[in-house]
Amino acid sequence: MELEQVLSCLAKGARQAVEADATAVCLLDEDGHHLTIAAVCGAETERRPSEPVAVSDSPLDREALGGHPAIVTDSRSDPRAARAPGDFCSILCVGLVYDGAPIGTLHAYASDPRRFDEEDAAHLAALADLGAMTVTATRAVLALETLDASKGQFIRVATHELRSPITVAQSLVRGVVGGYVGEMTERQADVFGRISRRLDFLESLVNDLLDLAAGKSPELAEEEGPTLLNAAVGRAVLLFQPRAEEKGLGIRLQPCRDQLIVWGTEGGLDRIFTNLISNAVKYTPSGGSVTVTVRKTDGQAQVEVADTGIGIPEKALPHLFEEFYRAPNAKALDEVGTGLGLAIVKALVERYGGRIEVASEVGKGSLFTVTFPVVER
Ligand code: ADP
């Protein structure tokens, strides 16, 4: 939920909880000395000024923030209520505190005198605790989302700038390795071979980082629409056939008779299946097999990528979709990997309303299952 919705729910919930005529949620400013009304419920509260009020000028808020609910039975004779909104005789004010840190106050108002008692104060305080926790959690999520967005933007710019010098360096080194600039000693060839492999890794890292940032980028949403699933899976299998044959692996596609349409983009679906099939081929030793199955099940589209490869240790499974994570048995192989492929796959699958699951046993193989809602024509 957005912060505004959370605050408005809190104001409404508070009004119901103590049967108040009106309620207001006030939040402390960053300086911790001023309160600003963030949400109200009940028409009369509209009269309340919305500019920040100094806590030092508001005895009721001061009491509530100090951990003591403040009950005013009749504002006309209670000097603490001098700044309270006009027509309300009864006022109840409790603090919004999370983990010992005050974040604001919750006010309940009623027109009649003596409407709130200690029991109401306890009710409102319990709701305020829950409210403070929710507000704090929502603020934390918003802060993380903002950070994630700036991280994505930084990655997009930085990797974009890195890509062309890497490509240039790579083609120059390939020229040297290919003997186009003259003969090399065995030792020189070995060093240049290693530089070339490092550049290959850098290139895949830059491409994966760009894909990851793109997968999370909201700008892409406009290009999304109903997309053919079978075609994307077929393309990915075809793409890896030569590599599988070269490695001595069997690669098989078990297609689906139904034409399955899912939400997404061709590019996005290609990324999902090329990543999964590339992993299956990469992590399956010679003599093994990779089977890709497309089916419709319970009205949903399902793609399975199964291999008879090295498998994934049980301890690694919960981390598999984290950015940069690579399982120890994969790292031990002489295969290039960035640990970003599955993070890209998961972000895209979820973006298109689907989910991804994995089952695996070390030494026996892995099974990745992607399920999408079917888009009806
Ligand atoms: P990488 O670039 O390392 O392949 P991924 O994000 O694609 O990164 O995968 C993360 C990790 O998940 C891999 O490093 C590997 O440990 C494990 N993994 C993924 N697919 C398979 C598979 N088919 N078989 C075994 N391990 C796999």
Side-chain angles (χ1 to χ4, degrees), residues 237-258:
V237 171
L238 259 184
L239 189 69
F240 284 97
Q241 215 138 28
R243 176 77 190 114
E245 276 163 21
E246 195 186 311
K247 228 184 139 177
L249 297 181
I251 184 163
R252 199 153 52 108
L253 170 65
Q254 294 185 316
C256 176
R257 279 165 196 265
D258 295 323

Side-chain angles (χ1 to χ4, degrees), residues 256 258 260 294-304 355 369-374:
C256 176
D258 295 323
L260 298 172
V294 186
R295 64 166 75 92
K296 190 173 180 183
T297 167
D298 295 334
Q300 294 191 303
Q302 200 170 68
V303 182
E304 279 181 1
R355 61 174 197 281
T369 309
V370 184
T371 312
F372 293 105
V374 167

Side-chain angles (χ1 to χ4, degrees), residues 191-344:
V191 170
F192 273 96
R194 273 190 274 159
I195 294 174
S196 179
R197 279 195 295 281
R198 290 285 167 175
L199 286 172
D200 281 348
F201 172 75
L202 266 183
E203 190 194 29
S204 55
L205 181 64
V206 161
N207 286 336
D208 279 358
L209 282 169
L210 275 173
D211 277 357
L212 188 69
K216 290 184 177 174
S217 152
E219 293 107 67
L220 281 185
E222 289 148 29
E223 293 164 26
E224 289 168 14
T227 309
L228 299 174
L229 178 71
N230 310 36
V233 179
R235 279 195 298 272
V237 171
L238 259 184
L239 189 69
F240 284 97
Q241 215 138 28
R243 176 77 190 114
E245 276 163 21
E246 195 186 311
K247 228 184 139 177
L249 297 181
I251 184 163
R252 199 153 52 108
L253 170 65
Q254 294 185 316
C256 176
R257 279 165 196 265
D258 295 323
Q259 187 62 274
L260 298 172
I261 298 178
V262 300
W263 189 259
T265 65
E266 275 191 9
L269 291 182
D270 283 351
R271 274 191 197 117
I272 293 172
F273 300 115
T274 51
N275 265 306
L276 291 177
I277 297 171
S278 139
N279 278 348
V281 171
K282 187 159 75 173
Y283 297 118
T284 303
S286 166
S289 65
V290 174
T291 311
V292 182
T293 311
V294 186
R295 64 166 75 92
K296 190 173 180 183
T297 167
D298 295 334
Q300 294 191 303
Q302 200 170 68
V303 182
E304 279 181 1
V305 179
D307 65 59
T308 59
I310 61 168
I312 299 156
E314 209 181 322
K315 271 192 181 165
L317 286 174
H319 306 287
L320 222 55
F321 298 97
E322 290 169 11
E323 292 164 17
F324 298 107
Y325 182 81
R326 303 195 72 211
N329 61 337
K331 281 200 224 167
L333 295 182
D334 188 24
E335 291 278 7
V336 171
T338 60
L340 286 172
L342 288 182
I344 294 168

Side-chain angles (χ1 to χ4, degrees), residues 24-49:
V25 182
C26 302
L27 292 181
L28 274 174
D29 288 359
E30 268 175 29
D31 67 5
H33 300 302
H34 292 82
L35 283 161
T36 306
I37 298 178
V40 292
C41 181
E44 293 301 316
T45 42
E46 280 158 22
R47 288 194 208 160
R48 223 182 124 116

Side-chain angles (χ1 to χ4, degrees), residues 17 41 48 103 106 116 172 175 187 210 249 277 362 377:
C41 181
R48 223 182 124 116
I103 62 163
L106 184 55
F116 303 124
L172 289 173
R187 191 159 152 60
L210 275 173
L249 297 181
I277 297 171
V362 172
R377 265 183 278 196

